[in-house]
């Protein structure tokens, strides 16, 4: 832990905490080792790493730059490793502390605070919209508690139009028993959803966006975006549903007084449009006015309930009896206890689809999460309390009205008869009323089955029920009118879909989405013009059920992934109950209206597919990410338990690319045949001191990964810091991979400058090939005529200095000048270099020179390449060595072997002239190639040669030249054959020779590879397996 010396401080200035600025101020007076430079200013508002670092002598008992835990250190954290303001970095604690006045100065006034906690201020880094301490420049937005903000809002939204206008009718159709079942089924779904949303909303700080925010931050942008769009639309349609319910009530009142405006249907449209316009005005006035209106509506509804319950115990007048009300009667309760289906909606699920929207208001509080003081406390408490009280009201209402009112009544006072009169049928006869005629003709205007305004008729004072209907419908419409734009605004700000960002702009201190209000208004008016309540209600049932299913699935998925980040403070939930709620929601969707469910799922899948295709650049720490990790971990561990088999062999490549953008052709070549097939790992060796190179490694890793993603290369990037290239590659070879997901092939670029490079780099390069074989890797060396390294071109685009003289073409290490590393964002957005492996090859050939049996790797890689679309039209030719007098037999043997491998290679050529002597000028060129590396020892004994070669092991003795003469001439001859047969090929794959370790100098081996691959236009792949089979023709 970094410690600082204690300066001599007067007791008058000691308050238990020393700030860095205090120490620096004393040091300026000559009492400390850290003296700021002249002119250094202390800008406390400047956000720096140590701007609030302090010395807590009272807390720790010694001087340290360490700090105690504080809220500011964790606010707005997004990713692991994000620098936090106020907390010293690991380097500040672990390394030698070098004070920088611009970083260490804080206000001297900090000394006066002795509580050990940093003051909240501008440097806290908190968003203004969050309403955290220290943001006084903006007016404080309106915030609500759990009662006013959630419970009352949810209760008003649940107590919608269905409560007054349809619940008595549903009770008449389904009977009290099945009505209770419908209510309890709905409440079961909503309660489970309420528990799930309570868990999600207490798992971290909730911002504005409501349901969309909770689902998207839990399941990710793909499902969250699609359900957010659907949920916002469903709320907009719900505005129309509740407004039509209000308009129906007003229309009925006008009908009773013969005062219709036009006709019954158009009156609903006219009244509905006027009403929703007034509600829009209230919404635009601000959340404070909207909340006051909701309180007023709530009081009106409570008074109407009391009025209804009082009315049920008041003895019925003759007028009410004529309309079917007889106060509490056991026989009425018994008759209404069982169902009596009527009309096209006369089925259990038909009535369920009509009732269920009345239970969907549970999200009204969550939808304004950004306007709550403490969403994590308010949403669970308010939502569950709202569900409980509204459920009780539904059950009481259905039971009481079912015990008071008969199903059919004429409303005519002339239908009263003496009890027991002949010809009278029905329950009302025992009460002195004969409704037989209208019941048989199905022309009764009153009774539970026929009169939607039964509650008004039963109540003590009818106009209060009408006022309650107005309050319930208007409050629900107002809540939905506020919810839809709030949810849509958050969706617009996340920019997941095009063309909707216009509606995300906020106005005023509460960031009101005025444009979203106008869009909701237009949608609501469109559905109000339908003017039929029973037609609108089922439309939104599926959308709300779809939302509930995803909320429950979000809770289940977050729980099942066992992510350490899933720590909801609300504990009263069950992941299996959440899964059950999700499944039930989906089942109910199809039982209600299967075609609407298919449409809803179709829309969700379409929107999901769009977001998956666009891949928005957001990172919310979703449970999908946690699930991906779980699956990868489980499969990787499971793979370790499976024995390897040749049939399942996959070429897993460690590609020594250096920075991947330096060698795009090498990346594209390996990425082409490993995509969706096997592991590809881009390795980079950062050569230099660890202290100097580690910051570069941290900075660049993310940029290289993003560069690979932008190029659509499915690969990993990893780097190591090493003192030299070979030791770095040895680290990669030994440590790269995980379990069975480990590389088995080393891919690197050909070292073009081996003749002019430093001898040690030549020794390292060949040593890397030997190391790969020692670790049982296959080796693949790629050479292109124009070279692989494009770093010189990139210097115009990225501020990166690459020492080309060191390792310009070895495909491995990189040296960057200190402080010149490119920014990761710049690296990812730089111009992508095109390569031959990105273009279609047409009807060219891929020529395979399978000269040595290496296990089949030389055949496998071109085969995998030929399966890709860009190389699919290429014809693959196989060349093997043979004797001129046995050409037919050898060709048949190779064709037979290839057929058994099922590779589809049918064109096989035998090279009988492979052992002919090459042309003299080519032999001379080879001799000139190795001449600078000859030891010219005159065939002296081995001890003398070793003494002469001490310090220069790459030198070639005369005896080594003579012993390997035939092998050298073989490479010269092979180059002649390649130029004769494959000058127009798209790609050449050839089995290279192997130099025996300790017996073949590195310069001689490089001369072989140079001679073999020189002067060839197509790319050449020198592929050598590890002598173990990678192909088999057996099925077990």
């Amino acid at each position: 832990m970094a410690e600082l010396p204690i300066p001599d401080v007067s007791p008058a200035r000691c308050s238990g905490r020393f700030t860095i600025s205090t120490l620096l101020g004393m040091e300026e007076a000559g009492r400390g080792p850290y003296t700021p430079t002249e002119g250094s200013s202390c800008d406390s508002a400047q956000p720096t790493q140590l701007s609030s670092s302090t010395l807590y002598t009272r807390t720790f008992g010694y001087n340290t730059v360490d700090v105690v835990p504080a809220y500011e250190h964790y606010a707005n954290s997004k990713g692991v490793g994000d620098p936090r303001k106020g907390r010293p970095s690991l380097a500040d604690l672990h390394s030698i502390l070098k004070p920088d006045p611009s970083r260490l100065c804080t206000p001297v006034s900090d000394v006066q605070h002795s509580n050990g906690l940093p003051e909240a201020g501008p440097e806290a880094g908190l968003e203004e919209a969050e309403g955290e301490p220290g943001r006084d420049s903006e007016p404080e937005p309106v915030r609500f508690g759990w009662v006013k903000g959630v419970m009352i809002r949810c209760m008003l939204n649940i107590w919608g139009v269905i409560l007054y206008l349809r619940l008595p009718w549903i009770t008449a159709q389904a009977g009290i028993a099945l009505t209770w079942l419908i209510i309890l089924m709905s409440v079961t779904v909503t309660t489970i959803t309420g528990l799930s949303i309570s868990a999600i909303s207490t798992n971290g700080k909730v911002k504005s966006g409501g349901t969309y925010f909770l689902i998207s931050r839990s399941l990710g942008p793909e499902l969250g975006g699609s359900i957010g769009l659907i949920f916002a639309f469903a709320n907009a349609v719900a505005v129309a549903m509740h407004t039509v319910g209000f308009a129906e009530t007003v229309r009925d009142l006008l009908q009773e007084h013969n005062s219709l405006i036009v006709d019954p249907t158009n009156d609903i449209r006219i009244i509905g449009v006027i009403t929703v316009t007034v509600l829009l005005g209230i919404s635009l006035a601000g959340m404070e006015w909207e909340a006051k209106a909701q309180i007023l509506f709530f009081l009106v509804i409570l008074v109407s309930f009391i009025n209804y319950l009082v009315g049920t115990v008041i003895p019925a007048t003759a007028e009410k009896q004529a309309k079917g009300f007889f106060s509490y009667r056991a026989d009425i309760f018994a008759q209404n206890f069982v169902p009596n289906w009527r009309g096209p909606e006369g089925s259990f699920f038909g009535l369920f689809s009509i009732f269920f929207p009345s239970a969907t208001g549970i999200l009204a509080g969550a939808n304004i999460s950004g306007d709550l003081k403490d969403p994590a406390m308010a949403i669970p408490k308010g939502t569950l309390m709202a569900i409980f009280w509204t459920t009780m009201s539904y059950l009481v209402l259905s039971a009481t009205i079912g015990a008071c009112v008969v199903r059919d009544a004429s409303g005519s006072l002339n239908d009263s008869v003496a009890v027991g009169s002949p010809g009278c049928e029905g329950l009302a006869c025992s009460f002195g009323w004969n409704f037989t005629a209208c019941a048989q003709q199905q022309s009764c205007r009153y009774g539970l089955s026929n009169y939607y305004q039964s509650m008004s008729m039963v109540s003590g004072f009818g106009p209060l029920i009408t006022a309650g209907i107005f309050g319930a419908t208007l409050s629900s419409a107002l809540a939905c009118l506020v919810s839809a734009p709030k949810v849509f605004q958050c969706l617009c700000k996340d920019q997941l879909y095009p063309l909707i960002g216009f509606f995300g702009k906020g106005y005023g201190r509460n960031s009101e989405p005025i444009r979203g209000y106008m869009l909701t208004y237009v949608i609501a008016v469109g559905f109000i013009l339908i003017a039929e309540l029973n037609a609108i209600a089922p439309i939104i049932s599926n959308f709300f059920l779809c939302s509930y299913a995803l909320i429950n699935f979000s809770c289940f998925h977050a729980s099942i992934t066992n992510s350490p980040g899933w720590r909801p403070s609300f504990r009263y939930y069950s992941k299996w109950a959440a899964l059950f709620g999700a499944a039930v929601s989906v089942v109910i969707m199809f039982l209600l209206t299967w075609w609407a469910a298919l449409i809803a799922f179709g829309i969700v899948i379409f929107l999901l597919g769009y977001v998956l295709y666009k891949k928005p650049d957001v990172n919310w720490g979703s449970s999908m990410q946690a699930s991906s990790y779980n699956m990868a971990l489980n499969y990787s561990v499971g793979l370790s338990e499976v024995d390897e088999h040749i049939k399942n062999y996959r070429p897993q490549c460690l590609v020594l690319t250096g920075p991947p953008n330096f060698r795009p052709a090498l990346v594209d070549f390996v990425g082409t045949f490993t995509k969706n097939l096997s592991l590809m790992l881009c390795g980079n060796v950062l050569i230099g001191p660890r202290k100097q190179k580690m910051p570069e490694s941290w900075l660049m890793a993310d940029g290289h990964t993003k560069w690979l993603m932008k190029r659509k290369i499915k690969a990993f990037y990893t780097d190591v810091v090493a003192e030299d290239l070979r030791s770095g590659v040895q680290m990669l070879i030994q440590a790269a991979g995980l379990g069975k997901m480990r590389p088995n092939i080393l891919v690197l670029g050909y070292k073009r400058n081996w003749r002019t490079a430093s001898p040690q780099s030549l020794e390292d390069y060949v040593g890397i090939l030997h190391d790969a074989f020692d670790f049982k890797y296959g080796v693949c060396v790629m050479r292109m005529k124009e070279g692989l390294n494009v770093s010189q071109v990139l210097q115009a685009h990225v501020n990166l200095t690459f020492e080309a003289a060191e390792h310009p073409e070895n495909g491995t290490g990189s040296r960057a000048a200190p402080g010149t590393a490119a920014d990761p964002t710049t690296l990812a957005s730089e111009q992508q270099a095109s390569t031959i492996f990105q273009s279609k090859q047409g009807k060219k050939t891929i020529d395979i020179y399978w000269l040595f049996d290496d296990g089949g790797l030389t055949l496998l890689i071109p085969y995998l390449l030929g399966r890709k679309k860009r190389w699919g039209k290429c014809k693959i030719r196989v060349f093997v060595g043979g004797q001129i007098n046995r050409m037919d037999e050898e060709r048949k043997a190779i064709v037979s072997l290839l057929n058994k491998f099922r590779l589809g290679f049918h064109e096989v050529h035998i090279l009988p002239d492979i052992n002919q002597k090459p042309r003299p000028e080519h032999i001379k060129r080879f001799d000139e190639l190795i001449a600078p590396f000859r030891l010219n020892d005159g065939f002296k004994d081995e001890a003398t040669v070793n003494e002469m070669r001490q310090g220069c092991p790459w030198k070639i003795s005369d005896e080594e030249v003579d012993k390997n003469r035939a092998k050298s001439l073989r490479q010269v001859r092979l180059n002649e054959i390649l130029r004769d047969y494959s000058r127009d090929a798209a790609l050449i794959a050839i089995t290279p020779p192997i130099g025996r370790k300790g017996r073949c100098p590195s310069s001689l081996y490089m001369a072989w590879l140079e001679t073999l691959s020189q002067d060839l236009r197509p790319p050449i792949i020198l592929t050598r397996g590890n002598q173990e089979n990678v192909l088999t023709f057996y099925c077990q």
Side-chain angles (χ1 to χ4, degrees):
M1 183 173 291
E3 298 184 8
L4 294 176
I6 305 176
D8 186 15
V9 185
S10 62
R13 297 194 62 184
C14 290
S15 60
R17 190 179 76 172
F18 292 90
T19 63
I20 297 292
S21 59
T22 307
L23 289 177
L24 290 178
M26 297 169 184
E27 287 154 11
E28 286 177 353
R31 287 186 290 176
Y34 303 116
T35 304
T37 59
E38 288 186 21
S40 63
S41 61
C42 297
D43 184 6
S44 62
Q46 181 182 358
T48 58
Q49 275 188 314
L50 289 178
S51 62
S52 59
S53 294
T54 55
L55 303 177
Y56 295 102
T57 54
R58 177 172 296 181
T59 303
F60 297 113
Y62 59 92
N63 289 336
T64 176
V65 295
D66 240 336
V67 295
V68 297
Y71 172 87
E72 290 81 1
H73 303 160
Y74 297 90
N76 296 333
S77 59
K78 295 178 181 178
V80 176
D82 281 1
R84 304 270 25 100
K85 297 173 183 177
R87 180 193 298 149
S89 68
L90 188 60
D92 293 327
L93 300 174
H94 181 252
S95 304
I96 298 176
L97 185 63
K98 296 181 180 179
D100 182 353
S102 65
R103 295 176 64 237
L104 298 180
C105 290
T106 56
V108 178
S109 59
D110 282 357
V111 182
Q112 299 171 1
H113 304 295
S114 59
N115 58 1
L117 294 174
E119 283 282 300
E123 69 274 8
L126 304 179
E127 297 180 9
E128 291 181 9
E130 293 178 12
E132 296 297 338
R135 291 290 186 180
D136 298 327
S137 58
E138 293 289 332
E140 186 68 23
V142 179
R143 296 284 186 253
F144 305 113
W146 72 273
V147 176
K148 190 176 178 182
V150 181
M151 188 184 80
I152 291 179
R153 188 175 298 273
C154 287
M155 290 177 71
L156 287 171
N157 210 10
I158 294 171
W159 282 332
V161 62
I162 306 297
L163 171 67
Y164 291 98
L165 300 183
R166 293 296 183 270
L167 189 56
W169 174 74
I170 291 173
T171 303
Q173 289 266 9
I176 296 172
L178 291 184
T179 300
W180 276 39
L181 182 60
I182 288 173
I183 294 170
L184 293 176
M185 280 179 60
S186 302
V187 170
T188 299
V189 176
T190 56
T191 302
I192 292 174
T193 307
L195 295 174
S196 297
I197 207 165
S198 298
I200 296 172
S201 63
T202 57
N203 188 53
K205 190 165 186 175
V206 178
K207 298 181 182 179
S208 61
T211 307
Y212 160 70
F213 181 87
L214 295 174
I215 296 178
S216 61
R217 271 53 176 180
S218 180
L219 280 180
E222 298 83 8
L223 282 172
S226 56
I227 207 60
L229 207 56
I230 285 178
F231 189 75
F233 178 75
N235 272 281
V237 177
V239 175
M241 183 188 78
H242 296 299
T243 306
V244 167
F246 169 78
E248 273 191 17
T249 308
V250 177
R251 188 271 317 268
D252 291 344
L253 288 174
L254 293 175
Q255 250 181 338
E256 287 181 10
H257 297 88
N258 296 319
S259 302
L260 288 176
I261 304 172
V262 182
D263 58 61
T265 302
N266 283 317
D267 279 11
I268 292 177
R269 293 169 179 157
I270 294 169
I271 297 166
V273 171
I274 294 173
T275 303
V276 79
T277 305
V278 173
L279 293 177
L280 176 66
I282 296 174
S283 301
L284 294 178
M287 288 296 294
E288 198 167 359
W289 283 95
E290 186 267 348
K292 291 176 181 177
Q294 296 285 34
I295 294 293
L296 176 62
F297 292 143
F298 183 71
L299 294 175
V300 170
I301 292 174
L302 288 183
V303 171
S304 70
F305 275 170
I306 296 171
N307 174 50
Y308 161 75
L309 293 174
V310 169
T312 59
V313 298
I314 296 175
T317 62
E319 289 81 2
K320 287 188 176 182
Q321 288 184 354
K323 294 179 180 180
F325 172 61
F326 298 98
S327 292
Y328 291 106
R329 304 285 179 131
D331 44 1
I332 295 179
F333 182 85
Q335 186 187 55
N336 288 336
F337 192 78
V338 294
N340 182 17
W341 308 113
R342 299 183 186 182
E345 292 99 358
S347 66
F348 181 82
F349 283 103
L351 295 177
F352 182 86
S353 68
I354 293 173
F355 173 80
F356 187 78
S358 67
T360 56
I362 64 167
L363 300 178
N367 286 337
I368 63 160
S369 54
D371 298 301
L372 301 174
K373 291 178 183 176
D374 184 5
M377 184 276 291
I379 292 175
K381 195 172 181 180
T383 301
L384 295 176
M385 289 296 290
I387 292 174
F388 173 77
W389 289 116
T390 52
T391 302
M392 295 303 298
S393 66
Y394 282 144
L395 295 175
V396 169
L397 177 62
S398 61
T400 54
I401 203 163
C404 296
V405 185
V406 295
R407 285 192 169 103
D408 294 297
S410 64
S412 173
L413 294 173
N414 297 326
D415 288 339
S416 61
V417 295
V419 177
S421 299
C424 183
E425 297 179 3
L427 186 61
C429 297
S430 60
F431 307 133
W433 293 86
N434 185 5
F435 303 136
T436 307
C438 72
Q440 291 177 347
Q441 296 172 11
Q442 295 185 353
S443 60
C444 295
R445 292 180 56 198
Y446 295 95
L448 283 182
S449 296
N450 309 293
Y451 189 46
Y452 287 156
Q453 306 285 352
S454 295
M455 280 187 66
S456 179
M457 180 263 295
V458 170
S459 66
F461 183 61
L464 282 178
I465 295 297
T466 303
I469 295 173
F470 289 173
T473 52
L474 293 178
S475 65
S476 296
L478 188 57
C480 292
L481 185 58
V482 171
S483 296
K486 294 282 186 181
V487 172
F488 194 59
Q489 182 184 35
C490 185
L491 180 63
C492 294
K493 287 183 176 179
D494 287 337
Q495 298 180 345
L496 300 183
Y497 300 105
L499 308 177
I500 63 173
F502 173 80
F503 299 100
K505 183 175 175 59
Y507 297 86
R509 61 181 181 176
N510 271 52
S511 188
E512 295 292 344
I514 294 178
R515 296 173 180 175
Y517 281 125
M518 300 308 297
L519 178 64
T520 305
Y521 172 77
V522 171
I523 295 172
V525 168
F527 279 89
I528 286 171
L529 297 179
I530 296 176
E532 179 55 49
L533 188 62
N534 288 4
I536 298 175
I539 293 175
I540 62 174
S541 292
N542 274 297
F543 285 160
F544 280 118
L545 279 165
C546 195
S547 303
Y548 290 176
L550 278 177
I551 289 171
N552 285 309
F553 182 73
S554 298
C555 180
F556 166 76
H557 197 263
S559 303
I560 204 72
T561 54
N562 293 321
S563 172
W566 174 250
R567 303 184 302 273
S569 55
F570 182 84
R571 299 291 183 182
Y572 306 103
Y573 73 95
S574 167
K575 60 185 175 184
W576 301 115
L579 180 62
F580 174 76
V584 168
S585 298
V586 173
V587 170
I588 293 174
M589 285 178 67
F590 283 94
L591 290 177
L592 296 183
T593 40
W594 63 268
W595 55 268
L598 290 177
I599 291 174
F601 272 102
I603 294 173
V604 169
I605 291 171
F606 172 77
L607 296 173
L608 172 67
Y610 177 82
V611 179
L612 285 172
Y613 173 74
K614 293 296 289 184
K615 291 184 174 64
D617 187 18
V618 295
N619 182 13
W620 295 327
S622 68
S623 61
M624 287 297 182
Q625 294 173 326
S627 177
S628 298
Y629 176 86
N630 271 8
M631 291 174 63
L633 180 63
N634 291 334
Y635 283 131
S636 298
V637 172
L639 197 61
S640 300
E641 301 172 359
V642 179
D643 292 333
E644 294 180 351
H645 195 283
I646 301 174
K647 284 170 60 178
N648 294 325
Y649 174 85
R650 293 169 186 261
Q652 304 187 110
C653 300
L654 170 59
V655 191
L656 301 183
T657 58
N661 58 321
F662 280 11
R663 296 171 181 83
L666 193 62
V667 171
D668 290 339
F669 164 65
V670 181
T672 301
F673 69 81
T674 59
K675 186 175 183 179
N676 299 325
L677 177 80
S678 59
L679 174 69
M680 176 180 173
L681 197 62
C682 294
N684 183 18
V685 179
L686 297 171
I687 302 170
R690 184 179 63 179
K691 185 176 180 181
Q692 175 186 335
K693 289 297 178 179
M694 285 305 294
E696 179 185 337
S697 172
W698 298 331
L699 176 67
M700 298 300 291
D702 187 52
H704 290 313
T705 301
K706 289 181 178 178
W707 184 89
L708 290 168
M709 292 170 61
K710 183 179 178 182
R711 204 171 179 86
K712 298 182 179 179
I713 300 293
K714 295 189 176 182
F716 298 97
Y717 169 82
T718 187
D719 54 34
V720 294
V721 177
E723 294 298 328
D724 60 78
L725 177 65
R726 185 174 181 182
S727 61
V729 175
Q730 288 174 343
M731 294 180 198
L732 287 171
I733 290 175
Q734 294 179 81
L738 184 69
K740 294 292 177 68
M741 300 283 291
R742 299 179 65 86
N744 49 30
I745 299 174
L746 182 70
V747 183
L748 67 165
Y750 178 71
K751 187 173 179 62
R752 297 174 68 204
N753 69 332
W754 65 274
R755 284 171 288 178
T756 58
S758 64
Q760 186 57 48
S761 69
L762 170 64
E763 194 75 10
D764 284 349
Y765 183 81
V766 176
I768 288 170
L769 302 181
H770 288 308
D771 293 338
F773 289 130
D774 286 341
F775 289 108
K776 291 192 173 182
Y777 272 57
V779 171
C780 183
V781 179
M782 181 177 179
R783 182 176 187 180
M784 295 180 66
K785 186 176 182 181
E786 61 274 18
L788 296 174
N789 193 338
V790 298
S791 62
Q792 300 295 337
V793 179
L794 291 179
Q795 281 182 352
H797 302 284
V798 292
N799 184 24
L800 194 65
T801 303
F802 186 89
E803 296 187 6
E806 282 294 326
H807 306 290
E809 280 303 332
N810 58 21
T812 52
S814 66
R815 293 176 181 263
T820 60
D823 181 77
T825 307
T826 306
L827 182 63
S829 60
E830 73 177 22
Q831 184 70 30
Q832 294 277 347
S834 60
T835 68
I836 186 175
F837 299 98
Q838 291 181 316
S839 57
K840 292 186 177 180
Q841 298 302 311
K843 296 183 178 180
K844 296 181 181 179
T845 63
I846 299 175
D847 291 349
I848 303 173
Y849 289 82
W850 196 25
L851 305 178
F852 307 101
D853 189 353
D854 61 344
L857 187 62
T858 309
L859 296 175
L860 182 61
I861 291 179
Y863 165 74
L864 296 175
L865 201 64
R867 289 168 54 180
K868 302 300 178 180
K869 187 176 180 181
R870 291 170 181 162
W871 297 77
K873 293 184 179 180
C874 290
K875 182 171 63 174
I876 297 180
R877 303 187 299 179
V878 179
F879 297 84
V880 294
Q883 299 177 13
I884 192 168
N885 57 347
R886 299 183 66 249
M887 285 182 57
D888 289 340
E889 293 87 344
E890 290 181 352
R891 183 181 181 281
K892 288 179 181 178
I894 295 298
V895 168
S896 175
L897 179 61
L898 294 177
N899 287 338
K900 290 179 180 179
F901 286 148
R902 308 173 306 283
L903 295 173
F905 301 165
H906 303 298
E907 187 171 340
V908 177
H909 298 271
I910 304 298
L911 301 174
D913 53 351
I914 194 171
N915 291 319
Q916 288 183 2
K917 190 174 182 180
R919 291 197 288 271
E921 62 270 23
H922 294 155
I923 298 175
K924 181 181 178 183
R925 185 168 65 172
F926 174 79
D927 292 335
E928 292 173 350
L929 182 66
I930 64 172
F933 302 96
R934 295 281 298 267
L935 196 60
N936 297 318
D937 57 287
F939 294 95
K940 292 185 173 63
D941 60 89
E942 185 174 353
T944 306
V945 169
N946 289 337
E947 186 177 346
M948 293 177 63
R949 194 155 52 187
Q950 191 169 6
C952 49
W954 55 87
K955 289 285 188 176
I956 312 170
S957 68
D958 293 345
E959 185 177 0
E960 287 167 341
V961 172
D962 188 58
K963 282 185 177 180
N964 293 289
R965 189 65 178 174
K967 197 170 186 179
S968 300
L969 295 180
R970 174 71 173 264
Q971 313 313 315
V972 178
R973 177 58 188 155
L974 280 175
N975 180 255
E976 294 176 350
I977 292 174
L978 292 177
R979 285 190 287 174
D980 289 341
Y981 287 90
S982 302
R983 65 168 63 92
D984 297 322
L987 181 75
I988 300 172
I990 187 169
T991 315
I994 291 184
R996 194 172 295 277
K997 186 169 60 173
R999 294 295 179 182
C1000 178
S1002 57
S1003 55
L1004 179 60
Y1005 185 70
M1006 288 303 299
W1008 289 346
L1009 298 185
E1010 175 73 24
T1011 302
L1012 178 63
S1013 59
Q1014 67 186 353
D1015 300 333
L1016 294 172
R1017 186 196 61 80
I1020 181 168
I1021 311 299
L1022 305 168
T1023 307
R1024 188 79 192 212
N1026 62 357
Q1027 301 305 109
E1028 294 182 3
N1029 290 351
V1030 300
L1031 298 172
T1032 181
F1033 42 76
Y1034 294 110
C1035 61
Q1036 64 179 10

